[in-house]
Amino acid sequence: MADVNRGNRPLSPHMTVWKFRANDITSILHRITGSALTLGAVLIVWWFLAAAIGPDYFAVADFVITSWIGTLVMIGSLWALWYHTCTGIRHLIWDTGRGYDPELVARSAWIVVGTSLGLTLITLIIAI
Amino acid sequence: MSYKTDRARVSGLGSAKDGTHHFWNQRLTSVALIPLTVLFVIPLAYNLGGDHARVVEAYSHPFNALVAVLFLVTGFLHLQQGLQVVIEDYVHGPALRTALIVGNTLFCWLFGLTGVFAVAKIAFGA
Protein backbone atom coordinates (compact mmCIF):
# COMPACT_ATOMS: atom_id res chain seq x y z
CA MET A 1 0.00 0.00 0.00
CA ALA A 2 2.72 2.43 0.94
CA ASP A 3 4.63 2.42 -2.37
CA VAL A 4 1.67 2.92 -4.71
CA ASN A 5 2.82 4.85 -7.76
CA ARG A 6 0.14 7.48 -8.27
CA GLY A 7 1.82 9.44 -11.03
CA ASN A 8 2.88 6.94 -13.66
CA ARG A 9 0.18 4.30 -13.92
CA PRO A 10 -1.19 3.20 -17.27
CA LEU A 11 -4.49 4.87 -18.18
CA SER A 12 -7.42 3.17 -19.84
CA PRO A 13 -7.79 4.12 -23.51
CA HIS A 14 -9.65 7.34 -24.19
CA MET A 15 -10.96 8.98 -27.39
CA THR A 16 -7.51 9.99 -28.65
CA VAL A 17 -6.24 6.40 -29.00
CA TRP A 18 -8.71 5.54 -31.75
CA LYS A 19 -7.85 6.05 -35.36
CA PHE A 20 -10.43 8.14 -37.20
CA ARG A 21 -12.21 6.10 -39.84
CA ALA A 22 -14.88 6.83 -42.41
CA ASN A 23 -17.65 5.63 -40.08
CA ASP A 24 -16.59 8.00 -37.26
CA ILE A 25 -16.58 10.98 -39.60
CA THR A 26 -19.95 10.09 -41.18
CA SER A 27 -21.54 9.77 -37.74
CA ILE A 28 -20.22 13.15 -36.53
CA LEU A 29 -21.15 14.81 -39.84
CA HIS A 30 -24.73 13.53 -39.46
CA ARG A 31 -25.10 15.71 -36.36
CA ILE A 32 -23.19 18.66 -37.78
CA THR A 33 -25.20 18.72 -41.04
CA GLY A 34 -28.49 18.31 -39.14
CA SER A 35 -27.71 21.23 -36.84
CA ALA A 36 -26.26 23.39 -39.62
CA LEU A 37 -29.42 22.95 -41.72
CA THR A 38 -31.10 25.34 -39.25
CA LEU A 39 -29.53 28.24 -41.19
CA GLY A 40 -30.74 27.03 -44.59
CA ALA A 41 -34.23 26.35 -43.16
CA VAL A 42 -34.51 29.88 -41.74
CA LEU A 43 -33.32 31.43 -45.03
CA ILE A 44 -35.85 29.42 -47.08
CA VAL A 45 -38.71 30.40 -44.74
CA TRP A 46 -37.64 34.05 -45.08
CA TRP A 47 -37.57 33.63 -48.89
CA PHE A 48 -41.14 32.19 -48.87
CA LEU A 49 -42.35 34.99 -46.57
CA ALA A 50 -40.76 37.61 -48.83
CA ALA A 51 -42.49 36.06 -51.86
CA ALA A 52 -45.81 36.17 -49.95
CA ILE A 53 -45.33 39.83 -48.97
CA GLY A 54 -44.69 41.16 -52.48
CA PRO A 55 -42.24 41.80 -55.34
CA ASP A 56 -40.35 44.67 -53.63
CA TYR A 57 -39.52 42.76 -50.47
CA PHE A 58 -38.92 39.58 -52.47
CA ALA A 59 -36.12 41.43 -54.31
CA VAL A 60 -34.27 41.83 -50.97
CA ALA A 61 -34.48 38.11 -50.08
CA ASP A 62 -33.59 37.16 -53.64
CA PHE A 63 -30.56 39.48 -53.54
CA VAL A 64 -29.27 37.89 -50.31
CA ILE A 65 -29.89 34.29 -51.42
CA THR A 66 -28.35 34.75 -54.89
CA SER A 67 -25.33 36.75 -53.60
CA TRP A 68 -22.06 34.81 -53.56
CA ILE A 69 -22.29 34.11 -49.84
CA GLY A 70 -25.99 33.20 -50.15
CA THR A 71 -25.18 30.84 -53.02
CA LEU A 72 -22.43 29.26 -50.92
CA VAL A 73 -24.85 28.74 -48.00
CA MET A 74 -27.52 27.31 -50.33
CA ILE A 75 -25.14 24.86 -52.04
CA GLY A 76 -23.74 23.86 -48.63
CA SER A 77 -27.26 23.37 -47.27
CA LEU A 78 -28.20 21.34 -50.34
CA TRP A 79 -25.32 18.95 -49.79
CA ALA A 80 -26.04 18.88 -46.02
CA LEU A 81 -29.69 18.02 -46.73
CA TRP A 82 -28.83 15.14 -49.08
CA TYR A 83 -26.04 13.92 -46.82
CA HIS A 84 -28.30 13.99 -43.74
CA THR A 85 -31.01 12.17 -45.74
CA CYS A 86 -28.56 9.44 -46.85
CA THR A 87 -27.00 8.92 -43.41
CA GLY A 88 -30.52 9.11 -41.96
CA ILE A 89 -31.61 6.18 -44.14
CA ARG A 90 -28.45 4.35 -43.04
CA HIS A 91 -29.41 4.99 -39.40
CA LEU A 92 -32.97 3.73 -40.03
CA ILE A 93 -31.50 0.50 -41.49
CA TRP A 94 -29.26 0.19 -38.41
CA ASP A 95 -32.37 0.67 -36.21
CA THR A 96 -33.70 -2.62 -37.60
CA GLY A 97 -30.52 -4.36 -36.34
CA ARG A 98 -29.02 -4.86 -39.82
CA GLY A 99 -25.78 -3.65 -41.42
CA TYR A 100 -23.44 -3.77 -38.41
CA ASP A 101 -20.75 -5.94 -40.02
CA PRO A 102 -17.55 -3.80 -39.78
CA GLU A 103 -16.77 -4.12 -43.48
CA LEU A 104 -20.35 -3.24 -44.37
CA VAL A 105 -20.25 -0.20 -42.06
CA ALA A 106 -17.09 1.06 -43.76
CA ARG A 107 -18.54 0.45 -47.21
CA SER A 108 -21.90 2.11 -46.44
CA ALA A 109 -20.00 5.15 -45.12
CA TRP A 110 -18.47 5.68 -48.56
CA ILE A 111 -21.77 4.90 -50.32
CA VAL A 112 -23.43 7.63 -48.24
CA VAL A 113 -20.73 10.19 -49.09
CA GLY A 114 -20.78 9.32 -52.80
CA THR A 115 -24.59 9.28 -53.06
CA SER A 116 -24.94 12.65 -51.29
CA LEU A 117 -22.40 14.25 -53.66
CA GLY A 118 -24.16 12.70 -56.68
CA LEU A 119 -27.60 13.94 -55.54
CA THR A 120 -26.15 17.42 -54.93
CA LEU A 121 -24.75 17.48 -58.47
CA ILE A 122 -28.07 16.32 -59.98
CA THR A 123 -29.99 18.98 -58.02
CA LEU A 124 -27.54 21.69 -59.10
CA ILE A 125 -28.08 20.65 -62.74
CA ILE A 126 -31.86 21.06 -62.20
CA ALA A 127 -31.22 24.47 -60.58
CA ILE A 128 -29.21 25.68 -63.58
CA MET B 1 -52.64 10.49 -3.99
CA SER B 2 -51.41 7.72 -6.26
CA TYR B 3 -51.78 4.06 -5.35
CA LYS B 4 -48.96 3.10 -7.74
CA THR B 5 -45.79 1.69 -6.28
CA ASP B 6 -42.60 3.71 -6.80
CA ARG B 7 -41.37 1.03 -9.20
CA ALA B 8 -44.52 1.22 -11.36
CA ARG B 9 -44.46 5.02 -11.36
CA VAL B 10 -41.01 5.24 -12.99
CA SER B 11 -41.29 2.16 -15.20
CA GLY B 12 -40.30 2.96 -18.79
CA LEU B 13 -39.07 6.44 -17.97
CA GLY B 14 -35.40 7.06 -18.75
CA SER B 15 -33.24 10.08 -18.08
CA ALA B 16 -35.16 12.05 -20.73
CA LYS B 17 -38.32 11.67 -18.55
CA ASP B 18 -40.60 10.32 -21.27
CA GLY B 19 -39.46 6.84 -22.29
CA THR B 20 -39.18 6.02 -26.00
CA HIS B 21 -41.81 8.56 -27.10
CA HIS B 22 -39.22 11.07 -28.39
CA PHE B 23 -37.12 8.40 -30.12
CA TRP B 24 -40.13 6.90 -31.86
CA ASN B 25 -41.52 10.26 -33.03
CA GLN B 26 -38.13 11.17 -34.45
CA ARG B 27 -38.15 7.95 -36.54
CA LEU B 28 -41.67 8.81 -37.78
CA THR B 29 -40.63 12.27 -39.00
CA SER B 30 -37.42 10.75 -40.51
CA VAL B 31 -39.37 8.27 -42.61
CA ALA B 32 -41.91 10.90 -43.71
CA LEU B 33 -39.11 13.26 -44.72
CA ILE B 34 -37.48 10.83 -47.20
CA PRO B 35 -40.12 11.27 -49.96
CA LEU B 36 -40.99 14.82 -48.85
CA THR B 37 -37.36 15.99 -49.22
CA VAL B 38 -37.17 14.74 -52.83
CA LEU B 39 -40.56 16.31 -53.71
CA PHE B 40 -39.71 19.60 -52.00
CA VAL B 41 -36.14 20.09 -53.23
CA ILE B 42 -36.78 19.58 -56.97
CA PRO B 43 -39.24 22.51 -57.49
CA LEU B 44 -37.29 24.62 -54.96
CA ALA B 45 -33.99 24.12 -56.81
CA TYR B 46 -35.77 24.89 -60.07
CA ASN B 47 -37.33 28.16 -58.82
CA LEU B 48 -34.76 29.50 -56.32
CA GLY B 49 -33.21 32.60 -57.88
CA GLY B 50 -36.19 33.09 -60.20
CA ASP B 51 -38.19 36.34 -60.26
CA HIS B 52 -41.23 37.00 -58.05
CA ALA B 53 -43.87 36.14 -60.67
CA ARG B 54 -42.25 32.78 -61.39
CA VAL B 55 -41.97 31.82 -57.70
CA VAL B 56 -45.59 32.84 -57.00
CA GLU B 57 -46.78 30.88 -60.02
CA ALA B 58 -44.82 27.76 -58.96
CA TYR B 59 -46.16 27.76 -55.39
CA SER B 60 -49.71 28.65 -56.49
CA HIS B 61 -49.84 25.12 -57.85
CA PRO B 62 -51.65 22.97 -55.23
CA PHE B 63 -49.14 20.11 -55.46
CA ASN B 64 -46.06 22.28 -54.86
CA ALA B 65 -47.84 24.22 -52.11
CA LEU B 66 -49.05 21.07 -50.33
CA VAL B 67 -45.62 19.42 -50.53
CA ALA B 68 -44.00 22.61 -49.20
CA VAL B 69 -46.45 22.78 -46.26
CA LEU B 70 -45.95 19.09 -45.41
CA PHE B 71 -42.16 19.45 -45.70
CA LEU B 72 -42.07 22.58 -43.52
CA VAL B 73 -44.25 21.03 -40.77
CA THR B 74 -42.41 17.68 -40.75
CA GLY B 75 -39.00 19.27 -41.30
CA PHE B 76 -39.23 21.80 -38.47
CA LEU B 77 -40.68 19.13 -36.14
CA HIS B 78 -37.70 16.92 -37.02
CA LEU B 79 -35.30 19.86 -36.53
CA GLN B 80 -36.81 20.50 -33.11
CA GLN B 81 -36.43 16.82 -32.15
CA GLY B 82 -32.86 16.63 -33.46
CA LEU B 83 -31.62 19.88 -31.91
CA GLN B 84 -33.19 18.82 -28.60
CA VAL B 85 -31.10 15.62 -28.58
CA VAL B 86 -27.96 17.67 -29.34
CA ILE B 87 -28.80 20.06 -26.45
CA GLU B 88 -29.50 17.13 -24.09
CA ASP B 89 -26.16 15.53 -25.03
CA TYR B 90 -23.88 18.56 -24.74
CA VAL B 91 -25.47 21.08 -22.35
CA HIS B 92 -25.29 19.95 -18.73
CA GLY B 93 -26.45 22.81 -16.48
CA PRO B 94 -30.17 22.19 -15.68
CA ALA B 95 -31.19 25.86 -16.03
CA LEU B 96 -29.39 26.54 -19.32
CA ARG B 97 -30.42 23.15 -20.66
CA THR B 98 -34.11 23.71 -19.94
CA ALA B 99 -33.93 27.26 -21.32
CA LEU B 100 -32.35 26.02 -24.56
CA ILE B 101 -34.88 23.19 -24.98
CA VAL B 102 -37.78 25.61 -24.49
CA GLY B 103 -36.15 28.19 -26.78
CA ASN B 104 -35.50 25.56 -29.43
CA THR B 105 -39.12 24.39 -29.36
CA LEU B 106 -40.46 27.94 -29.66
CA PHE B 107 -37.96 28.80 -32.41
CA CYS B 108 -38.89 25.75 -34.52
CA TRP B 109 -42.65 26.35 -34.17
CA LEU B 110 -42.20 30.03 -35.00
CA PHE B 111 -40.25 29.43 -38.20
CA GLY B 112 -42.20 26.31 -39.22
CA LEU B 113 -45.57 28.04 -38.92
CA THR B 114 -44.25 31.25 -40.54
CA GLY B 115 -43.22 29.12 -43.52
CA VAL B 116 -46.64 27.43 -43.64
CA PHE B 117 -48.37 30.83 -43.47
CA ALA B 118 -46.17 32.22 -46.27
CA VAL B 119 -46.74 29.26 -48.61
CA ALA B 120 -50.50 29.32 -47.85
CA LYS B 121 -50.67 33.05 -48.63
CA ILE B 122 -48.93 32.45 -51.97
CA ALA B 123 -51.14 29.44 -52.77
CA PHE B 124 -54.40 31.24 -51.94
CA GLY B 125 -53.34 34.32 -53.91
CA ALA B 126 -50.91 36.77 -52.31
Side-chain angles (χ1 to χ4, degrees):
Chain A
M1 272 301 276
D3 58 341
V4 171
N5 179 359
R6 294 212 172 270
N8 197 24
R9 289 183 297 182
L11 293 167
S12 57
H14 192 50
M15 282 175 77
T16 49
V17 306
W18 310 109
K19 183 183 164 193
F20 258 96
R21 288 177 193 278
N23 42 325
D24 307 314
I25 314 247
T26 48
S27 173
I28 294 161
L29 270 178
H30 185 68
R31 274 213 164 173
I32 294 174
T33 51
S35 307
L37 276 166
T38 310
L39 178 61
V42 166
L43 281 174
I44 289 300
V45 165
W46 179 51
W47 182 76
F48 273 124
L49 188 66
I53 288 169
D56 294 340
Y57 191 57
F58 180 78
V60 179
D62 186 60
F63 173 78
V64 172
I65 280 181
T66 56
S67 68
W68 70 267
I69 191 153
T71 306
L72 209 65
V73 170
M74 281 300 127
I75 294 174
S77 299
L78 181 65
W79 173 74
L81 185 64
W82 285 132
Y83 177 84
H84 194 83
T85 303
C86 292
T87 37
I89 293 169
R90 187 166 170 242
H91 272 285
L92 286 171
I93 295 167
W94 281 342
D95 285 344
T96 68
R98 274 165 272 226
Y100 284 107
D101 179 68
E103 275 173 38
L104 209 59
V105 170
R107 205 189 319 154
S108 63
W110 289 111
I111 290 172
V112 156
V113 172
T115 310
S116 68
L117 289 173
L119 286 171
T120 307
L121 205 66
I122 291 168
T123 321
L124 285 176
I125 291 166
I126 294 170
I128 299 162
Chain B
M1 177 185 145
S2 172
Y3 291 98
K4 275 182 170 179
T5 63
D6 288 347
R7 169 67 178 76
R9 206 161 40 74
V10 298
S11 177
L13 303 178
S15 59
K17 316 285 187 281
D18 71 345
T20 58
H21 175 258
H22 184 278
F23 175 89
W24 182 249
N25 275 328
Q26 201 177 7
R27 309 302 121 163
L28 279 181
T29 53
S30 306
V31 172
L33 277 169
I34 298 170
L36 284 174
T37 301
V38 176
L39 294 175
F40 176 76
V41 164
I42 292 169
L44 182 69
Y46 189 69
N47 292 298
L48 200 69
D51 61 25
H52 184 254
R54 174 174 159 182
V55 173
V56 167
E57 197 198 341
Y59 286 95
S60 296
H61 192 284
F63 184 78
N64 284 345
L66 191 59
V67 165
V69 166
L70 288 174
F71 179 84
L72 286 167
V73 170
T74 319
F76 271 98
L77 200 55
H78 186 80
L79 183 66
Q80 185 263 317
Q81 293 162 336
L83 287 177
Q84 184 174 327
V85 172
V86 172
I87 294 165
E88 284 166 352
D89 279 356
Y90 304 127
V91 182
H92 300 299
L96 180 63
R97 184 184 163 113
T98 307
L100 282 175
I101 289 173
V102 171
N104 168 49
T105 308
L106 296 178
F107 163 83
C108 288
W109 279 105
L110 174 69
F111 276 90
L113 291 185
T114 302
V116 169
F117 168 78
V119 172
K121 193 166 185 290
I122 296 167
F124 295 141

